[in-house]
Amino acid sequence: MVFIRIGLSVLLMCALAPVALRAQQPTVTASVERHQQPGHLDRSKLHLLKHQQFSERSSRVASLYRLPNDTIPESYVLELSSNVHAEDFTYGGSVAIRVRVLQTTRSIVLHSLYSKLVKVEVRNANQLNIPISTVEEDPALETLTIRTDHELQRGIYQLTILFENTLRDDFGGFYRTSYNSGNEVRYSAVTQFQPVDARTAFPCYDEPGIRATFTISITSGVGTKVYSNMPIKSTTITGNGLKQTRFHTTPSMPTYLVAFAITNNFASTRLSLRGPPSSINMELIAPPTVTDTAQTYGLDLGGQIIRTVEQYFNQSYDLPKLDQLAVPDFYFAAMENWGLVIYEERYLLYDELTSTNRDKENVIATVVHEFVHQFLGNLLTPHWWSDLSLSEGFATFYEYYLSSMVEPSIRFKEKFTVEALQPALLFDCDINVRPISYNVETRADIERMFDIISYQKGGSIFRMFHYALGELTFVKGIRRYISVNKGRSVTPDDLFESLQVAASEDAVLPLSLDVGTIMRPWIFQSGYPVVTVTLSNGELTFMQEHFLYRGSVVTSDRTWWIPITYHVHQSVGTVQSQQFWMPQGTSQVSLEQGDLLDGFIVVNPQQTGYYRVNYDENLWIRLIAKLSSDPSIVSPISRGQLLDDCFKLYYSGRVGSNIIYSLLTYAENEIDAIPWTVAFANDNLGVLQGALVVERMAFEAFSRFVTGLTANVFNAVGFDALPSDEHETQQLRSAVIEWSCRSGSNECRTEALARMLNDLNGLAPLPMYLKYSVYCGGATIASPDVLETLWASLQSVNDYGQRLNVIEALACSESEQFLDDFLDSVFTNPIAGEWANILRAVYQKSAAGYEAYNRWIARNALQIVQSIGLDPAFTQIVNDVNQRQSDIRKYDELVELFMNSSPSQR
């Protein structure tokens, strides 16, 4: 697997780097590094995405990696025995698979990896033994081939395999996890099989489109408690301090949804929901450190959410139980195993006394995401990993849409555009990015499908059609899609067919159009359009083109069926809403439009469409003038959209410096969290701040501009929470403090330093959500001694995220002495790879940090060459710095506007 951490210059590859440099390159994607950026995408941390390349296509690999279709499983009886409670990490097992032979064959091929096979036998329907000629394991293809002496005729056979294995320690397959109980370490075992790790726990047919039932029994210590997808059927003491726990048989399902866990002294609490629509027993299981408040909140939340999801989909949850298990170590935020959802504990356990508002959002959204999967993903499953978005795209959309029903006080629907849609647009403008539906075969490529395209873009496309077809029509189609296809695997065509039935019944599309025609371009080709709107002689013209870097030698003639919606704001205060479909293959549509007088137009209001919008200069000026006089004239989502689109249009050469500058000045009167989150994002204002560090005068002009821009919102949010604060104010306050302090606000810096010192001394502890911002603000003017004390205190911290936050805060310093010492510490830093985090943080934060980096290079040239000079991470840093130096001239006109700017002029 090729992982390349994205630097700032690579982050905006679609806007800042010529497409010619990327022509004929392998297909690429990007995904989230879970330990660096958990939960929803954070717009201030998009530079931490993992950038990955898919393998080159090979028909040979495709034919070998997929299982042949001449045999399928109908049922599994899986028995395991583990002494994990006694710190014995080996386990034994047997699996008896009822196999149906579909066509005459001499072999049974399934998946197996890591298991040591002890015995393999095949019996026919009469229980007669079938002689086996060879048993062949292929670690590269992860397959197990059992060849028989004579042909197996069509019918039923039983394949039984005895095996031995070891619990993994890398959060995949059947793995061990631990927690501290006083001075004692206690071990448990848990599963994470998605996408292709069931085969590492036991031999099986490990493909998502292959469904079977599972009857599971697990032998473990008598003091442990065991969980699986279904309720316990019986428990038997077997002797030697062990017991066997047997579970009821599951419905037919793919292997990746199988789950079991052996817990050691975990806490649990229960809830019973009685029908209608269904009767469900729920249990929340967590390490014993969990608080009663967190247990109660998670359990009650789960009960509320499953009822919300059932009602929305008009489909009952038909398993008898739905447990939620929190564990200390988990690769994903959570996993939707049918009947036993497993979470990394911070995504299930929320305690208002110790958690932040962001923690609460993540818990609600994660539970909604996993419970949506109980229907879209579990009840019906994508036929293959190529269409993972049929599971993850829907769950991403609904984790916001349905969360807004569960907790209306949180602006989930608006946050979708900031945290999902706009990041997808940012990444999806590379000509080499994969489409939503993309065929993959190998383990590495399958794992790469869990990316921004499957989740954020997939969710954005489903959201677009939710609004384009109409909310009532779309949900009617989704309900039919679930009802007709439950218990089987699905393809995009199944979705198109159900939505088409609903669209026809409600007559929401022209007779000449069908859902498949308008959705296919969005699913099967990559990228998206920019729609440019011009007004001339009473005629509105809409033009579409593939959004790529302007001036590229690579051209694209891709077009889409675009649901165009626009609002005409008349001077008298009325708003007219218009909508139409812009056809694929059509680059331009013109419509008659009366005199606007001093009115204006907003295209794609609420950013429901997955495309960018540009206007001619006159329409931009009209819009900006109205925003400057009254920001509330358009919604917060639309204000955020205007900022995000305008930044990307400016960075790609489609609008001039005067337009982006004028639009930014409206923000002096902006105090809403949604537009400010967009503005502060490191793909928007963050790009300018990062680019201008290489030239002190330019950086200082930009900083003065930002200080004036944020003055009103800084005064509005301050440092202290108020009872009247909206939920989103916490995050807004944190961002405003960081930006105001770093841009040079004396009031912000002085207050931040005082609060930082009080926190360090234990006099007035800071709330967790403010700690980084206040420390960054205080560090700008803190003495070297204070900063050295803070740096020394970090040496006892092992958590990666906490260490990175402190490094980032220290890098906000403008003290030459401290920055020089801080950079010199990279040669003696004992934490692997942390030297690169320090270098990046320092040179990216400020002009002072960039100058310190240059001094460090000059005085340590020989030592750098000897120690880290050949490290790829250092090469990437050097390239990033060089890119900033070459990019600076792109911003000369905008910098001049900053230099001539003053609050009175704005």
Side-chain angles (χ1 to χ4, degrees):
M1 298 172 74
V2 180
F3 298 115
I4 306 171
R5 199 176 306 284
I6 296 181
L8 197 59
S9 60
V10 181
L11 173 66
L12 279 177
M13 54 192 167
C14 60
L16 303 181
V19 175
L21 299 179
R22 306 187 303 277
Q24 307 304 315
Q25 295 299 309
T27 303
V28 297
T29 191
S31 57
V32 175
E33 185 74 77
R34 291 293 171 184
H35 74 283
Q36 293 181 342
Q37 190 182 167
H40 287 162
L41 284 178
D42 186 335
R43 289 294 290 276
S44 69
K45 295 181 179 179
L46 291 182
H47 59 292
L48 298 179
L49 295 175
K50 291 187 302 185
H51 195 56
Q52 302 167 275
Q53 289 182 181
F54 284 95
S55 305
E56 293 185 16
R57 296 302 181 94
S58 167
S59 58
R60 179 179 180 275
V61 170
S63 64
L64 291 176
Y65 195 81
R66 296 290 295 272
L67 295 177
N69 58 7
D70 46 12
T71 69
I72 59 170
E74 291 191 344
S75 66
Y76 294 78
V77 176
L78 176 64
E79 297 186 354
L80 302 174
S81 179
S82 168
N83 285 296
V84 65
H85 65 287
E87 300 186 30
D88 177 359
F89 302 133
T90 62
Y91 67 93
S94 68
V95 60
I97 309 174
R98 177 184 169 92
V99 175
R100 178 173 293 277
V101 175
L102 301 177
Q103 57 190 26
T104 302
T105 181
R106 283 180 177 269
S107 63
I108 298 174
V109 185
L110 64 162
H111 289 109
S112 181
L113 186 66
Y114 303 151
S115 291
K116 177 183 176 182
L117 307 184
V118 177
K119 181 181 180 181
V120 179
E121 69 174 22
V122 178
R123 293 181 180 273
N124 64 18
N126 296 320
Q127 290 299 300
L128 296 176
N129 190 60
I130 305 296
I132 296 173
S133 57
T134 62
V135 175
E136 303 166 8
E137 297 179 79
D138 189 329
L141 297 177
E142 305 180 0
T143 56
L144 169 63
T145 301
I146 300 152
R147 302 191 188 277
T148 57
D149 285 350
H150 58 265
E151 288 187 335
L152 302 176
Q153 302 300 315
R154 295 175 61 183
I156 298 297
Y157 296 82
Q158 179 166 297
L159 168 63
T160 303
I161 303 172
L162 276 61
F163 60 93
E164 296 172 349
N165 209 324
T166 301
L167 295 173
R168 292 167 60 176
D169 60 1
D170 58 357
F171 314 137
F174 191 23
Y175 72 94
R176 61 185 184 264
T177 184
S178 64
Y179 68 91
N180 293 325
S181 177
N183 295 324
E184 182 183 2
V185 178
R186 294 194 173 182
Y187 288 91
S188 298
V190 67
T191 56
Q192 170 53 43
F193 288 160
Q194 192 184 41
V196 288
D197 275 322
R199 67 190 67 174
T200 70
F202 61 96
C204 58
Y205 290 75
D206 199 13
E207 292 188 357
I210 300 176
R211 301 172 75 98
T213 62
F214 293 82
T215 304
I216 298 172
S217 300
I218 296 178
T219 299
S220 62
V222 292
T224 64
K225 188 162 185 184
V226 186
Y227 298 87
S228 188
N229 305 86
M230 295 295 286
I232 293 173
K233 184 176 183 180
S234 66
T235 302
T236 305
I237 302 299
T238 59
N240 298 318
L242 300 174
K243 65 179 180 181
Q244 184 181 63
T245 305
R246 295 183 178 273
F247 296 91
H248 287 277
T249 301
T250 71
S252 182
M253 65 183 189
T255 49
Y256 81 84
L257 292 174
V258 173
F260 35 86
I262 303 170
T263 63
N264 190 350
N265 199 37
F266 275 36
S268 73
T269 184
R270 295 176 178 82
L271 173 69
S272 292
L273 299 177
R274 293 291 168 252
S278 60
S279 294
I280 310 170
N281 291 320
M282 305 186 76
E283 184 173 356
L284 187 146
I285 311 107
T289 52
V290 64
T291 65
D292 291 342
T293 301
Q295 277 187 293
T296 300
Y297 181 83
L299 191 63
D300 291 346
L301 179 69
Q304 179 186 1
I305 288 174
I306 192 59
R307 288 305 193 217
T308 299
V309 177
E310 283 182 313
Q311 181 179 6
Y312 183 81
F313 290 141
N314 194 31
Q315 175 69 50
S316 62
Y317 176 83
D318 292 335
L319 267 66
K321 77 175 184 74
L322 180 52
D323 293 340
Q324 300 185 89
L325 168 63
V327 296
D329 304 301
F330 204 64
Y331 180 75
F332 293 104
M335 176 61 204
E336 65 267 20
N337 312 299
W338 213 353
L340 177 60
V341 181
I342 302 177
Y343 302 80
E344 201 263 297
E345 55 188 339
R346 60 182 147 170
Y347 298 105
L348 177 61
L349 307 178
Y350 168 77
D351 189 325
E352 62 181 357
L353 295 179
T354 56
S355 304
T356 68
N357 284 4
R358 184 66 166 179
D359 295 331
K360 184 177 183 179
E361 284 177 43
N362 282 334
V363 167
I364 294 171
T366 302
V367 177
V368 170
H369 185 109
E370 305 311 323
F371 283 15
V372 166
H373 274 317
Q374 302 303 305
F375 302 89
L376 295 168
N378 299 5
L379 193 59
L380 55 159
T381 306
H383 71 110
W384 182 246
W385 303 112
S386 55
D387 291 303
L388 180 63
S389 65
L390 292 177
S391 176
E392 298 300 350
F394 273 122
T396 300
F397 167 46
Y398 283 124
E399 78 177 70
Y400 289 88
Y401 188 82
L402 296 182
S403 290
S404 69
M405 299 179 184
V406 173
E407 184 53 81
S409 67
I410 301 177
R411 297 162 66 181
F412 279 109
K413 286 185 181 179
E414 295 171 89
K415 285 173 175 287
F416 182 93
T417 62
V418 178
E419 298 173 351
L421 189 149
Q422 290 170 13
L425 290 174
L426 170 68
F427 178 70
D428 194 27
C429 55
D430 183 346
I431 193 71
N432 297 306
V433 169
R434 73 171 180 88
I436 288 177
S437 181
Y438 183 75
N439 192 43
V440 288
E441 303 293 342
T442 67
R443 166 186 285 270
D445 283 346
I446 289 169
E447 291 173 344
R448 291 178 183 120
M449 292 295 288
F450 290 76
D451 61 1
I452 284 179
I453 300 301
S454 289
Y455 286 73
Q456 283 76 21
K457 181 179 180 179
S460 298
I461 297 304
F462 296 142
R463 174 179 177 268
M464 176 169 67
F465 281 92
H466 170 94
Y467 290 110
L469 298 178
E471 298 186 53
L472 294 179
T473 299
F474 189 82
V475 72
K476 179 191 291 186
I478 294 302
R479 288 174 174 178
R480 184 184 189 279
Y481 172 62
I482 294 173
S483 176
V484 169
N485 295 294
K486 59 184 178 182
R488 59 181 290 263
S489 58
V490 291
T491 69
D493 285 338
D494 295 310
L495 174 64
F496 301 159
E497 190 273 336
S498 287
L499 290 177
Q500 179 60 42
V501 170
S504 297
E505 289 178 357
D506 294 352
V508 296
L509 289 175
L511 293 178
S512 59
L513 280 184
D514 64 87
V515 170
T517 296
I518 59 178
M519 284 193 77
R520 281 191 179 92
W522 299 97
I523 302 297
F524 295 107
Q525 69 180 9
S526 65
Y528 59 88
V530 54
V531 175
T532 300
V533 188
T534 63
L535 176 64
S536 178
N537 299 321
E539 187 175 74
L540 270 179
T541 300
F542 297 81
M543 296 171 284
Q544 68 159 306
E545 64 173 318
H546 188 180
F547 185 82
L548 294 171
Y549 179 78
R550 178 64 62 84
S552 163
V553 299
V554 174
T555 59
S556 170
D557 59 359
R558 292 178 195 169
T559 55
W560 292 260
W561 280 94
I562 309 175
I564 301 288
T565 302
Y566 64 99
H567 289 171
V568 180
H569 293 251
Q570 302 286 358
S571 56
V572 293
T574 61
V575 180
Q576 296 177 347
S577 181
Q578 306 287 342
Q579 57 187 30
F580 66 94
W581 285 95
M582 190 171 189
Q584 185 179 28
T586 301
S587 61
Q588 181 173 311
V589 171
S590 296
L591 302 173
E592 184 177 345
Q593 173 61 51
D595 193 342
L596 280 180
L597 299 176
D598 64 344
F600 64 98
I601 292 174
V602 175
V603 180
N604 198 19
Q606 303 297 101
Q607 205 168 13
T608 56
Y610 186 74
Y611 55 91
R612 297 200 185 279
V613 180
N614 193 9
Y615 302 90
D616 65 32
E617 187 161 337
N618 175 263
L619 289 176
W620 270 118
I621 291 172
R622 286 170 175 267
L623 208 163
I624 292 169
K626 292 299 183 181
L627 276 178
S628 298
S629 62
D630 179 13
S632 66
I633 200 164
V634 297
S635 70
I637 291 180
S638 290
R639 301 200 299 271
Q641 171 201 355
L642 287 166
L643 285 165
D644 193 64
D645 281 352
C646 196
F647 268 113
K648 305 313 185 298
L649 294 166
Y650 168 68
Y651 292 139
S652 63
R654 288 175 166 85
V655 300
S657 301
N658 62 316
I659 296 298
I660 185 65
Y661 175 83
S662 298
L663 181 62
L664 279 172
T665 59
Y666 108 83
E668 285 185 342
N669 299 316
E670 180 66 79
I671 58 172
D672 191 274
I674 298 297
W676 272 119
T677 301
V678 175
F680 286 147
N682 71 354
D683 53 302
N684 289 329
L685 277 175
V687 169
L688 282 176
Q689 188 174 62
L692 300 181
V693 296
V694 303
E695 196 170 277
R696 182 176 280 273
M697 287 184 62
F699 184 80
E700 290 178 347
F702 169 78
S703 297
R704 288 193 298 271
F705 175 78
V706 172
T707 300
L709 206 63
T710 58
N712 284 337
V713 70
F714 175 73
N715 290 331
V717 300
F719 279 81
D720 296 310
L722 299 174
S724 58
D725 282 349
E726 292 185 352
H727 173 89
E728 287 71 27
T729 303
Q730 271 194 7
Q731 288 174 257
L732 177 61
R733 179 177 293 115
S734 176
V736 167
I737 288 172
E738 179 187 355
W739 275 85
S740 296
C741 286
R742 285 178 59 192
S743 66
S745 166
N746 291 328
E747 179 184 357
C748 181
R749 290 181 169 196
T750 302
E751 183 66 21
L753 177 60
R755 291 179 183 242
M756 181 181 95
L757 293 174
N758 285 338
D759 184 74
L760 280 171
N761 297 328
L763 299 177
L766 287 165
M768 285 303 298
Y769 79 93
L770 271 188
K771 199 152 190 171
Y772 164 72
S773 296
V774 169
Y775 272 54
C776 174
T780 59
I781 58 173
S783 68
D785 289 343
V786 170
L787 297 171
E788 291 287 356
T789 300
L790 176 58
W791 176 233
S793 69
L794 185 64
Q795 305 318 308
S796 61
V797 176
N798 295 319
D799 181 79
Y800 179 93
Q802 291 181 32
R803 293 187 67 87
L804 186 59
N805 278 343
V806 175
I807 288 169
E808 295 275 355
L810 288 169
C812 296
S813 170
E814 296 177 2
S815 164
E816 288 189 13
Q817 177 185 334
F818 173 75
L819 290 174
D820 287 346
D821 292 342
F822 192 33
L823 289 174
D824 285 342
S825 74
V826 303
F827 297 117
T828 57
N829 191 303
I831 307 298
E834 193 166 77
W835 61 268
N837 292 338
I838 294 172
L839 291 184
R840 290 191 191 97
V842 170
Y843 79 75
Q844 291 177 2
K845 286 289 184 183
S846 65
Y850 176 77
E851 291 166 358
Y853 168 83
N854 284 332
R855 292 194 302 272
W856 176 79
I857 291 285
R859 70 174 177 271
N860 295 295
L862 181 59
Q863 191 171 2
I864 291 170
V865 170
Q866 294 173 339
S867 57
I868 60 175
L870 298 180
D871 193 301
F874 184 68
T875 302
Q876 187 182 24
I877 287 171
V878 171
N879 291 340
D880 185 42
V881 171
N882 291 339
Q883 186 69 52
R884 291 166 194 261
Q885 292 169 344
S886 64
D887 284 347
I888 184 67
R889 297 280 68 86
K890 297 178 182 179
Y891 307 110
D892 282 350
E893 289 185 9
L894 186 56
V895 168
E896 186 175 350
L897 291 171
F898 291 151
M899 287 182 171
N900 296 326
S901 170
S902 69
S904 60
Q905 290 173 324
R906 294 199 297 271

